[in-house]
């Protein structure tokens, strides 16, 4: 067990992982070792969770014991509050991997007059660190100290600086939480960033269109690079802070040449032999044009070929989906019972987009599908602020492509006969293939037309094919010779 | 809000002075405590150095030094910093200057 007071410095270990994956990427691997990081946030923004996770990760995965100095809540309260995240603080205390320094107000009457120093606090922290061989220390939260020593904030600042310096010299990586008064106002209430912080991280909990949006931002990292801007995160039971990886994505995808069936042999031909294993296909069309049928075929085709398929439904209920499929001779229930298919239906409004993303990720990780269908992206878009949706889409497509899962997403176009809606513009640039389904008026009848608008990396049919839908599914007809310009946004002509 | 404790000659009230090492602040605190002992014979002051006894400091929950504390009271009463104003200290700790 390493002695916390050792001056030993391993130059190779420059970063300390927090265990919050996407966050560690934002800071190039972790928080700088033996430096002070101030984590600021308004009440309820998740500072204590973040700080505890930092310690928990050290104990569970890095063999680095820690010290939790608590100024506000009692150790018992913290143990209780954090247990929901799967962290057994009490047990770690028993195993001497974690030590608490209880600096909470407790039941005392204290009068502060004149000059003081915080040597006692420092002595206690060092004592605890030595007892467990700590490498990480959390001080939560500094505001409490300022409230207590309110008569002499200057002395307090001097002492806090002294303590931080001493802890760093003792080989500890320090994390202090600080209060903020507003989400976009001053950095921290007591200007912690000015006098003691080597690094500053801000947690926000912003109310946006009736929903809370949690973000994390690395404001400054002395002597080190970091990714700028806010990244969304959420608090998950049994895991803690889970950040959504966005800017960390690199365009590194390997390209697969393997083709998989769309579920409809005619469509497979139109796209040059099938969809690519690691591609995302967008199916866009107005309501009733046949998107759900296409999804059903996609799933059934995959299962028939021996794959596992996952369907995420945000528009219709399970009952409706299963009934519709049965109407076309596709038995979802049987496939589910055999473990080949999993259907999950959710209300888009039930959670924010980052949470949706995490739900999808954990479903994929748990079930391990070879193909995934999302019906529909438009339903999810309703939930989101504009930037949030694009980020979500980037994350989602990246995630499934990296795992070589063939994806099919539907989007509802706003106009019945053609044209591109705003959401489609977003989505269309991020997908590899686009299939358009449109109504075409010919004389007094509405016909259906389908075309492959793009298929990245492959030859594809440029024709607009007629198609029909009946109880046995989708049937593609011939190409429409003189089809009016429904696919380019102009009004249908209606004559043949 | 103040607690008045009556003293009998048989029992002495025990206070604790927490200090951190041999520093000017410690010397000042000792001087002030001597003044207190002169003013009130019925008290005893034990000195505890948090640097040599951090575990004790942890149990008592001491953050700052110098701290003069009556840990026997419930809740404990403490004065931090400047102990020079004898009357104020005594008043806060609820100690009367004894007339004997």
């Amino acid at each position: 067990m390493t002695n916390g007071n050792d001056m030993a410095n391993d130059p190779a270990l420059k970063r300390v992982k927090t265990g919050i994956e996407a966050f560690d990427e934002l800071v190039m691997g972790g928080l700088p070792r033996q430096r002070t990081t101030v984590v600021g946030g308004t009440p309820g923004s998740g500072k204590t969770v973040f700080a505890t996770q930092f310690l928990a990760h050290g104990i569970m995965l890095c063999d680095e014991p820690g010290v939790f100095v608590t100024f506000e809540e009692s150790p018992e309260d913290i143990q209780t509050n954090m247990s929901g995240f799967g962290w057994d603080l009490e047990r770690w205390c028993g195993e001497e991997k974690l030590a608490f320094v209880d600096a909470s107000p407790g039941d005392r009457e204290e009068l502060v007059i004149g000059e003081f120093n915080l040597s006692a606090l420092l002595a206690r922290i060092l004592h605890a660190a030595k007892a467990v061989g700590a490498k990480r220390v959390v001080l939560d939260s500094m505001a409490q100290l300022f409230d207590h020593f309110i008569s002499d904030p200057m002395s307090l600042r001097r002492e806090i600086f002294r303590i931080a310096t001493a802890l760093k010299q003792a080989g500890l990586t320090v994390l202090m939480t600080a209060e903020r008064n507003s989400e976009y106002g001053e950095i921290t209430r007591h200007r912690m960033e000015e006098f003691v912080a080597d690094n500053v991280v801000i947690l926000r909990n912003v109310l946006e269109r009736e929903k809370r949006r949690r973000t994390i931002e690395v404001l400054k990292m002395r002597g080190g690079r970091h990714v700028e801007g806010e990244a969304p995160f959420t608090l998950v039971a049994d895991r803690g802070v889970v950040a959504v990886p966005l800017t960390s994505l690199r365009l590194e995808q390997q390209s697969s040449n393997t083709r998989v069936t769309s579920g409809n042999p005619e469509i497979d031909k139109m796209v040059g032999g099938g969809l690519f294993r690691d591609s995302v296909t967008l199916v866009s069309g107005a309501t009733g044009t046949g998107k759900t049928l296409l999804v059903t075929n996609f799933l059934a085709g995959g299962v028939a070929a021996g794959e596992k398929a996952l369907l995420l439904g945000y528009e219709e209920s399970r009952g409706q989906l299963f009934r519709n499929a049965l109407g076309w001779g596709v038995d979802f229930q049987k496939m589910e019972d055999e473990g080949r298919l999993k259907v999950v239906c959710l209300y888009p409004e039930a959670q924010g987009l980052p949470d949706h993303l995490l739900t999808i990720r954990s479903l994929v990780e748990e079930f391990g599908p070879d193909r995934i269908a999302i019906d529909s992206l438009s339903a999810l878009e309703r939930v989101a602020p504009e930037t949030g949706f694009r980020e979500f889409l980037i994350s989602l497509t990246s995630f499934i492509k990296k795992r070589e899962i063939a994806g099919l997403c539907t989007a509802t176009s706003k106009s019945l006969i053609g044209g591109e809606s705003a959401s489609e513009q977003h989505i269309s640039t991020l997908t590899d293939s686009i299939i358009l389904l449109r109504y075409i008026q010919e004389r007094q009848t509405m016909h259906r037309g389908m075309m492959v608008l793009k298929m990245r990396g492959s030859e594809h049919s440029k024709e607009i094919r007629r198609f029909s839908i009946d109880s046995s599914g989708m049937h593609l007809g011939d190409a429409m010779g003189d089809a009016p310009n429904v696919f380019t946004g102009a009004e249908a002509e209606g004559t043949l | 809000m103040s607690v008045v404790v009556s003293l009998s000659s048989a029992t002495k009230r025990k206070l604790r002075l927490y200090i951190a090492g041999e520093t000017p602040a410690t010397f000042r605190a000792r001087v002030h405590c001597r003044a207190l002992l002169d003013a009130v014979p019925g008290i005893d002051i034990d000195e505890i150095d948090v640097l040599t006894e951090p575990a004790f400091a942890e149990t008592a929950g001491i953050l700052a030094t110098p701290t003069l504390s009556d840990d026997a009271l419930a809740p404990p009463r403490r004065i931090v910093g400047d102990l020079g104003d004898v009357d104020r200290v005594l008043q806060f700790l609820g100690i009367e200057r004894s007339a004997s």
Side-chain angles (χ1 to χ4, degrees), chain A residues 69 71 101-103 110 116-128 139 145 149 159 162-163 166-167, chain B residues 17-21 23 26 48-68 78 80:
Chain A
V69 183
F71 294 104
V101 170
D102 187 356
E110 199 164 287
F116 62 89
N117 68 63
L118 294 181
S119 301
L121 174 62
L122 176 59
R124 285 167 64 186
I125 302 176
L126 289 173
H127 174 74
L139 287 90
L145 267 183
F149 293 100
E159 289 302 292
R162 202 166 65 82
I163 290 179
L167 293 178
Chain B
L17 173 68
Y18 294 90
I19 49 100
T23 66
T26 303
I48 294 165
D49 188 345
V50 299
L51 297 184
T52 55
E53 291 186 78
F56 204 104
E58 176 70 48
T59 330
I62 302 295
L63 287 185
T65 48
T67 293
L68 181 63
R78 299 191 168 142
V80 175

Side-chain angles (χ1 to χ4, degrees), chain A residues 70-91:
Chain A
T70 171
F71 294 104
E72 199 172 317
E73 296 182 272
S74 71
E76 293 74 34
D77 281 345
I78 294 179
Q79 280 166 5
T80 312
N81 294 341
M82 296 296 124
S83 63
F85 294 106
W87 302 320
D88 196 344
L89 301 180
E90 210 182 328
R91 182 167 59 91

